[in-house]
Amino acid sequence: MPIDPKIALGAELPSREFAWTPSDVQLYQLGLGAGARWTDAAELRYLDDREPQVLPTFATVAQTLHETEPPKVSFPGIDIDLAKVVHGHQEVEVHRPIPAAGKATSTGRISEIWDKGSAAVVVQEHTITGSDGAPLWTTRSSIFAKGEGGFGGERGPSTKSELPDRAPDFDVTTRTLPQQALLYRMLGDRNPLHSDPEFARAAGFPNPILHGLCTYGIVCKTATDTALDADATRVTGFRARFAGVLYPGETIRTRIWRTDGELVIAATVVEREDAPVLADVSLKFE
């Protein structure tokens, strides 16, 4: 059985110590397209050699920087073929601004497993603590495993939210690069779905797709730049559900509604009649 919920649910994941440098932060933010406005002072804060400001979404790659092996979906009670897996949702909560360099320890667990019938949803939660013993950030993410449901578990709650019934406060388009996935994979996500045309076609896609976490980071940066004066230190949390695919070279349309302490966001693909790519997007700020 690829999923044994009796073993998997609540299982502790191996702890991990890791570190990062300003160059790692720069590489991550270049992977999202930072520097496109190469003479803009606010833009260049993402690429400062000594103290680059750090987008909270850096938390999604900090542990796996520079890994060169494709990831495996193998946890206690869970063993799934990588080709069956897509990212379901991602959430980052930062407890203080992420420093440009640091050392930290990650602890995690399988917090939820849901049976969707034709698929299974597995939720992980990781807590990251800095070398000073204080919490830095918490991440929660889910994977959607096609063909792995039907084990008799609960379906789980619906997380869909409604967009405000008014015109957005901001409506921005961001063009991705044809080589965006090949650049982003240098951060440690070597899933061949994003680089190998044959692998992508075997998984049901006409071509390699952009990493969902790359789209996730681009939208967070776009919202930060547009609505928060490009000040990443104001962001306290960012979450999104992966609602569709984006192919490198396509254009992301980001619509943003400002509410009290939160930006509500929708991200779609311009070239495919605004097909959704991220949904239920929320950026919390102070």
Side-chain angles (χ1 to χ4, degrees), residues 32-286:
L32 303 181
R37 300 185 305 279
W38 66 94
T39 60
D40 182 274
E43 179 80 353
L44 291 174
R45 290 192 303 179
Y46 291 109
L47 302 172
D48 185 84
D49 284 330
R50 295 188 178 182
E51 291 290 335
Q53 71 164 352
V54 186
L55 283 165
T57 53
F58 176 72
T60 62
V61 303
Q63 294 185 61
T64 56
L65 285 166
H66 313 306
E67 290 189 358
T68 57
E69 293 298 319
K72 294 182 179 180
V73 189
S74 182
F75 310 111
I78 299 173
D79 191 3
I80 304 171
D81 181 356
L82 183 62
K84 294 182 177 181
V85 171
V86 294
H87 209 144
H89 96 285
Q90 180 71 50
E91 179 178 357
V92 173
E93 177 187 0
V94 289
H95 306 298
R96 49 180 161 145
I98 299 175
K103 296 181 179 179
T105 302
S106 169
T107 57
R109 65 189 180 97
I110 303 296
S111 59
E112 301 169 47
I113 300 177
W114 305 115
D115 185 348
K116 300 296 186 180
S118 61
V121 174
V122 179
V123 182
Q124 299 179 52
E125 180 174 303
H126 291 269
T127 300
I128 284 70
T129 303
S131 56
D132 59 0
L136 275 171
W137 68 78
T138 301
T139 63
R140 301 174 187 89
S141 64
S142 65
I143 57 172
F144 189 86
K146 295 176 286 186
E148 302 298 340
F151 51 82
E154 296 182 13
R155 286 191 59 85
S158 172
T159 58
K160 292 184 178 181
S161 59
E162 297 295 326
L163 295 173
D165 186 20
R166 59 180 175 84
D169 296 296
F170 306 96
D171 193 334
V172 187
T173 57
T174 307
R175 184 70 177 267
T176 62
L177 299 171
Q179 68 270 36
Q180 196 96 47
L182 299 175
L183 174 60
Y184 188 85
R185 70 194 295 267
M186 302 304 293
L187 294 157
D189 188 338
R190 300 301 180 101
N191 186 337
L193 181 63
H194 309 295
S195 60
D196 185 334
E198 291 186 5
F199 186 95
R201 289 165 193 152
F205 300 99
N207 286 304
I209 63 176
L210 189 62
H211 304 70
L213 285 178
C214 184
T215 304
Y216 177 84
I218 290 171
V219 171
C220 182
K221 180 180 182 298
T222 298
T224 301
D225 292 348
T226 303
L228 301 179
D229 300 318
D231 186 354
T233 66
R234 295 182 61 189
V235 183
T236 59
F238 187 68
R239 74 178 308 277
R241 177 172 58 85
F242 299 96
V245 299
L246 186 79
Y247 294 93
E250 290 186 319
T251 306
I252 304 170
R253 179 187 183 194
T254 304
R255 290 177 293 152
I256 305 166
W257 290 263
R258 186 189 289 273
T259 64
D260 291 339
E262 182 180 15
L263 302 178
V264 177
I265 301 166
T268 57
V269 188
V270 171
E271 290 84 354
R272 286 185 276 122
E273 299 181 342
D274 279 328
V277 61
L278 295 181
D280 305 325
V281 188
S282 168
L283 185 153
K284 294 186 177 179
F285 65 95
E286 58 185 19

Side-chain angles (χ1 to χ4, degrees), residues 19-27 49-50 52 54 58 65-66 99-102:
W20 66 95
T21 68
S23 292
D24 295 323
V25 173
Q26 288 175 303
L27 178 61
D49 284 330
R50 295 188 178 182
V54 186
F58 176 72
L65 285 166
H66 313 306

